[in-house]
Every structure is written in C-alpha cells, then in structure tokens.
Amino acid sequence: MSIKPSIKSVMEFMEWVNMYSGLFPYEVSAYFDMYRGQPNKKWKLEPSIVRYAKDKGLEKIYKSISNIENELIEQFEKYSTPYKNYRSATLLEKLIDGQHYGLPTRLLDWTTNPLKALYFSVEDTKFDNVDGTVYGFAATGLQGTKDVKLEDNHLEVFFPELLNERLSAQEGCFTSFPLPTSGFNVLPLSIKNYPESGENLEKVIVDAKAKVRIRVELSKLGINRRTIYPGLEGVAQSVKTDLSFYE
C-alpha cells in the first residue's frame, strides 16, 4: 500500500481518486470500489467491536470477541422490541441496524462515494489538530446482502439492501470481519492479512490544517450534516455548523 503526500483541498483529493479510476491519462489494474474516511490517520481499519472490547476491559470477562457480539445483539434485539421486531430478522440485518444506531459490531462502514468518505475524515472538529486519512479499496467477491455467509475465517465485502435513510444517503457498504470463537485476535484490514478480499488498498493523508477548508468546500458541493444524516438531527447540526463557519 502506497501513501500519497497529504492533500489540502477537495481538488487535490479528486486528483488522487482519479489516479485509481482508470481516467486518462492514468492506467491502473484495480479500480476502487469503496472508500472510508477516518479523522485520525493512526487508526487501523478494524471494526468497532475490537475497540469496544479493549476499552471496556471485556477480554477479562468473556472467552471470545464473538461472545461479546452475541451478547450485544441479544440485548439489542430484546430492548428494541417496543420500536422494531427483530424476531424474523437475520443476524446480518441485526448487525446492519445495530451498526447504524451505534452498536459495536464486526462491520466496518464504507461508502461508494469518495467525497462522502472525505467528509467523514474531516467531520469531527475534535480531530481538527490531527491528520486524517481516506482509504480506497479495490475489493473482490463483492456480494449482495443475501449472499453474505458471515463465515468464521473469511472477510466479506458487500452492498446491503438499503434498510434505512442514512445508509442510502451515505451510499453505504460494508466489510464484515471474521470473529474468532476463541480469543480476541481480529486482524485489521490489509491485503496481506486478507489476500482474498481485494486487489488493492491505498490511502491518502488529509492535512489537519486543511480540514476546515475542506468542510467548507464539501458543503458547497452539497455534502454536509444535513445531507449525510437525513432528518431533523442532521438539519439542526448543519445549521449549527453553518453559523460557526464550519469550525
């Protein structure tokens, strides 16, 4: 995986994207299918269940990370009953909905829209003093929701059915990490760790000093909290951001 020197504008970012899009004069063997933005360049490509287990010290209580996810899903299903009945839902559907509402799961969010991935790398102002990053992933074996098997030793890449407005607005897709039934070792995503999952994985650094500028540029292109998070919450956050000059 190569790393491009940090970008400082949307235009510079799109130059990087175009390098892996097969657009003239660039020629590449593996085009990006999906993108992920992270506000801190030091973060690994790993699912939230991994960070949750470490931060909460759950490795001392449970015998495996798979057990932790099972308990989370069971409790999520139980207490969601007044709002939604998950009895007939598949495990994958529960994982997607749980991820949507902030439940730690084996899923890692991606988007097919590079500019929306860039937005996620600059969205949180708490990280304005830290370089962000955007990953581009040329995946293999892309599947639909019905084809995902959630196997113990296989990372899966899939485009879900659009189960909620936010997933649709964000043009979301996922990688599903295999969780061991014994222990807590979940390898972060890389071509080396999961050679069958993709042909290429690249990243570009987002300069911390340019994050405010990039938020302004993205908003002018129609990518902001109001469009990324449909509903009144997104509208309110967008208005608040506008009045504070994106800072």
Side-chain angles (χ1 to χ4, degrees):
M1 178 173 66
S2 61
I3 303 174
K4 177 182 170 60
S6 59
I7 59 99
K8 299 179 175 64
S9 68
V10 171
M11 182 175 293
E12 289 182 5
F13 174 70
M14 287 308 301
E15 289 177 357
W16 175 77
V17 171
N18 288 339
M19 287 176 60
Y20 297 94
S21 299
L23 298 178
F24 181 82
Y26 307 108
E27 292 185 9
V28 293
S29 59
Y31 308 148
F32 293 152
D33 303 289
M34 50 210 295
Y35 302 83
R36 176 175 171 83
Q38 299 190 156
N40 190 330
K41 69 178 182 181
K42 294 182 179 180
W43 290 357
K44 299 177 181 178
L45 286 173
E46 58 186 10
S48 57
I49 188 74
V50 174
R51 299 189 297 273
Y52 177 74
K54 292 178 182 177
D55 293 345
K56 302 300 181 182
L58 298 179
E59 297 173 349
K60 301 176 182 178
I61 303 173
Y62 293 85
K63 71 174 185 178
S64 74
I65 196 166
S66 180
N67 290 148
I68 296 174
E69 188 189 65
N70 290 341
E71 180 69 17
L72 288 168
I73 290 297
E74 182 179 324
Q75 295 299 314
F76 176 71
E77 181 179 356
K78 176 181 177 181
Y79 291 109
S80 296
T81 302
Y83 314 103
K84 186 170 181 178
N85 188 346
Y86 284 101
R87 291 180 181 176
S88 61
T90 65
L91 173 58
L92 184 59
E93 289 171 339
K94 296 173 189 176
L95 288 171
I96 292 173
D97 257 16
Q99 178 86 354
H100 167 66
Y101 290 109
L103 193 73
T105 74
R106 71 181 69 189
L107 303 182
L108 189 65
D109 300 279
W110 296 74
T111 174
T112 56
N113 188 318
L115 290 178
K116 292 180 180 179
L118 179 61
Y119 175 80
F120 290 125
S121 75
V122 303
E123 171 190 19
D124 194 335
T125 59
K126 295 195 299 292
F127 294 93
D128 275 356
N129 62 339
V130 178
D131 287 344
T133 188
V134 176
Y135 287 88
F137 187 30
T140 55
L142 289 166
Q143 306 175 87
T145 306
K146 295 179 181 179
D147 300 317
V148 177
K149 299 181 177 63
L150 298 178
E151 297 176 345
D152 294 339
N153 59 353
H154 182 64
L155 183 137
E156 302 193 70
V157 187
F158 67 97
F159 295 99
E161 298 172 2
L162 300 180
L163 301 176
N164 55 64
E165 288 184 348
R166 182 176 296 184
L167 192 57
S168 176
Q170 296 175 4
E171 300 178 64
C173 47
F174 297 97
T175 46
S176 175
F177 287 73
L179 300 185
T181 55
S182 177
F184 298 84
N185 186 35
V186 178
L187 297 175
L189 178 60
S190 70
I191 299 300
K192 178 180 178 181
N193 289 339
Y194 302 97
E196 78 290 346
S197 67
E199 298 179 59
N200 194 18
L201 178 66
E202 304 288 344
K203 74 175 182 179
V204 64
I205 304 301
V206 181
D207 192 316
K209 296 178 181 178
K211 285 188 173 182
V212 174
R213 170 185 173 173
I214 291 173
R215 281 200 295 273
V216 173
E217 291 179 345
L218 287 173
S219 187
K220 290 179 179 178
L221 294 172
I223 299 176
N224 50 46
R225 287 182 179 271
R226 179 172 51 81
T227 57
I228 291 291
Y229 303 104
L232 292 177
E233 180 183 356
V235 170
Q237 291 297 321
S238 179
V239 170
K240 184 174 72 172
T241 301
D242 288 348
L243 290 183
S244 61
F245 300 101
Y246 305 89
E247 299 183 9

